[in-house]
């Protein structure tokens, strides 16, 4: 997987989380419903992977 692919996946995960958060009345700044938590964790994992790839490429 290229860095560009990883970036697209991470941005798509972020958009999915934001869209869910906009419509979900159970999600707050301090807590998330099951779906919101799953979407947030997916976004966070992909963001970490992307940022780690960026750091490795700078070395």
């Amino acid at each position: 997987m290229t860095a560009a692919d990883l970036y697209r996946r991470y941005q798509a995960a972020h958009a999915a989380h934001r869209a869910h958060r906009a419509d979900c009345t159970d999600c707050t700044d301090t807590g998330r419903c099951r779906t919101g938590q799953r979407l947030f964790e997916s976004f966070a994992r992909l963001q970490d992977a992307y940022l780690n790839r960026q750091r490795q490429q700078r070395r």
Side-chain angles (χ1 to χ4, degrees):
M1 177 179 311
T2 69
D5 294 333
L6 193 53
Y7 180 78
R8 280 190 289 278
R9 289 180 61 202
Y10 136 59
Q11 289 299 307
H14 186 237
H17 176 258
R18 268 193 333 252
H20 170 80
R21 177 75 196 280
D23 293 334
C24 183
T25 58
D26 293 332
C27 288
T28 66
D29 288 341
T30 58
R32 297 175 189 91
C33 71
R34 276 188 193 175
T35 300
Q37 184 63 32
R38 181 182 55 78
L39 290 169
F40 178 79
E41 287 173 1
S42 176
F43 158 66
R45 274 193 310 274
L46 286 165
Q47 182 183 44
D48 288 345
Y50 174 75
L51 293 175
N52 286 334
R53 165 93 42 106
Q54 292 296 97
R55 284 185 201 105
Q56 289 173 354
Q57 289 178 346
R58 289 186 194 135
R59 290 182 185 173

